[in-house]
Amino acid sequence: DDKDNVLDLSDPYSKDPPRHPILKVNSSKPFNAEPPPEILTESYITPNEIFFKRNHLPVPDINPDEFQLTVERPNGQNEKVPLKLSLNDLKTKFPRHEVIATLQCAGNRRSEMNAVKQVKGLDWGTAAISNARWAGVRLRDVLLQAGYTEEASKGLHVHFEGLDQDLTGTKYGASISFQRAMNEKNEVLLAYEMNGEPLPKDHGFPLRVIVPGVVGARNVKWLGRIQVCTEESPSHWQQNDYKGFNPSTDWDTVDFKSAPAIQELPVQSAITEPKPGQTVTPDSDGKVTVQGYAWSGDGREIVRVDVSFDGGKTWHVAELFGEKQKQGQSWAWKLWKLEATLPTEDKEVTIICKAVDSSYNVQPDTVAPIWNLRGVLNNAWHRVHISVNRD
Amino acid sequence: DDKDNVLDLSDPYSKDPPRHPILKVNSSKPFNAEPPPEILTESYITPNEIFFKRNHLPVPDINPDEFQLTVERPNGQNEKVPLKLSLNDLKTKFPRHEVIATLQCAGNRRSEMNAVKQVKGLDWGTAAISNARWAGVRLRDVLLQAGYTEEASKGLHVHFEGLDQDLTGTKYGASISFQRAMNEKNEVLLAYEMNGEPLPKDHGFPLRVIVPGVVGARNVKWLGRIQVCTEESPSHWQQNDYKGFNPSTDWDTVDFKSAPAIQELPVQSAITEPKPGQTVTPDSDGKVTVQGYAWSGDGREIVRVDVSFDGGKTWHVAELFGEKQKQGQSWAWKLWKLEATLPTEDKEVTIICKAVDSSYNVQPDTVAPIWNLRGVLNNAWHRVHISVNRD
Ligand SMILES: [Mo]
Ligand SMILES: [Mo]
């Protein structure tokens, strides 16, 4: 017992779980890692082991038999006795709901922003995004159980508090709008399963929030407490992080109050094969194969992915793969593939991709004009420079 | 009588109303015209006379006392007796609802696409967009009255048929999803008033659909009939027009079935002052004033407008003006203004603007990569080249 305490004090990360060696580690404490991009697009559903991992704090060690979710009551309704739900309560007293949803870190593709000008944040490549089938209960059902009603004022926010904490006891936290939480269409979940297994430790065991179409940062892991308030979460990550600014805003001039907290994310796509710097040999028909992913926030479906080999002068339409989801509820990515003949005999080629979503949102051409001091929200066209083997 | 018939046959546009002479006419029959951009941003609410006018067919001459809206019933529910509503029924039997909403033609800023490569369509400048306060009844209430329920299958579409028709009797038509129509949050209206007046003839007198956040083409004017179907409207304008394609798709290769009908529009902004080619004299502090509008579809709020005088290397944040609307229901544009010192002593300057919406969607850098054969959906950065008077 004494020995354990000493261990914890010297290294709060000592209870972190083992991880798959294939992951590229951007930070080990807290653990942040992404899979090799080309493995990401091998399967529509990302296996749990290679699903990108983005922890802000040490992984808490939670005994599932003792776990209780605390849901604070509405004002005046038995306020002193919050709703307490065990894992078994959640699994047996509420309808089970499943959703296939892609999660993306706001910092996905930050390394391309770093290439423009140094930013503050983990140096994510293109794989801080993954897709899983989540199962749990609807947040809406839990809020109704706690006494909240559909008619509750529109301006409210639902706060999520994690059980992960720093050495001073500050816990991870974030919020979404009450409207988003209550609208059935949004399918906001308290998830206890990921791809048919109990949530892995790195993904929030035993319970996490899944907010389809919304930035990873609001999908709070190791969920311990829910509260409904008139203001957004006061947490650092809601107020002073995960917001976008223009490229001329620096750390001396930034006013975090001037920008909205990131919620639903803009349209995104990236090339996963070939890899940057790879030497590609065209097949006997002279064709090369390009693969990648595309996704958009807020349930918008990917309707087209364009690929160019000539700097954007001409564009091929890629073939899209993935399950059809309901209109306005396209929470999952599309994988895409294109086989095409290169337009020139050049030995060096830059491949570009860009996606279009069902609101006809498009990706911007370049990174510099969307560069921001935190390096979030990079959804510029993705470019991969390759060599072509002409022998 | 005979004379009238002769008139009608020789010129189906003979009943079109008079128009304000300040409008720039892109086509007189059918009438399509936009105001001078600098007048557009003089007021948050666009006066009816200068609100852009986009007609597909002759303006029908409708007697308001005889007008009846036909609403077809759901299958099996008194199908042979459609709901018929007079203008008085609409005004007295349903709650009145008001909404401030911006309408934008899909072809707004098409002239910049024409400058890249010729497209098919009216040569709109930057002013095929305007903002008004609409009053009428909720489409939802009328559909409920006709017998439809919230629980009706999710995949349905609401068809709108105009009373405007071509010489062969083909009427204008379009559709939106049943889900959009029924969700109170979307505030879809059957409007009989525009800025406190009965709808002007050019804007659909006596009744039109207002679908906030959605492309003008679905806001059917001179509404005569509503029908709920399992498929989208079969009309030309829903099926074979108002869709986006990639720049390499031409009239020989286009497959209209491959793209979704445009509904909610992407984030947009433009500079209205100074005008292209204008000579600007900086004020005594060396400052120039830039003004414009910004808007995004689907109720997304404009959260920032950036302006650059150096080709996008540095960006100023403009001041935003306009009424605060509810979250997710920001149907109206924001006007914006910036007073800034020019960064160089150059005698020629290109001013650029770009906007960001509450989903952090951004505008693409250039027009060519979003060029499409119909010249729709141009939301690239807007550029205005001016001369600077340095004397
Ligand atoms: Mo993140
Ligand atoms: Mo239009």
Side-chain angles (χ1 to χ4, degrees), chain A residues 52 54 56 104-108 110 124 172 215-217 242:
Chain A
F52 83 95
R54 199 282 176 253
H56 294 84
Q104 183 182 219
C105 177
N108 190 31
R110 179 178 285 136
W124 293 107
Y172 187 77
V215 63
Y242 293 121

Side-chain angles (χ1 to χ4, degrees), chain B residues 32 52 54 56 104-108 110 124 172 215-218 242 374 376:
Chain B
N32 287 284
F52 83 96
R54 199 280 178 255
H56 294 85
Q104 181 181 221
C105 178
N108 190 31
R110 180 178 285 134
W124 295 105
Y172 188 78
V215 63
R218 315 302 169 210
Y242 294 121
R374 273 295 275 118
V376 291

Side-chain angles (χ1 to χ4, degrees), chain A residues 303-329:
Chain A
V303 301
R304 202 180 77 232
V305 172
D306 295 334
V307 177
S308 178
F309 301 101
D310 59 6
K313 284 194 279 294
T314 61
W315 297 92
H316 301 259
V317 176
E319 196 178 350
L320 305 179
F321 301 90
E323 290 186 19
K324 178 78 186 162
Q325 297 186 298
K326 277 180 245 165
Q327 205 202 345
Q329 295 169 284

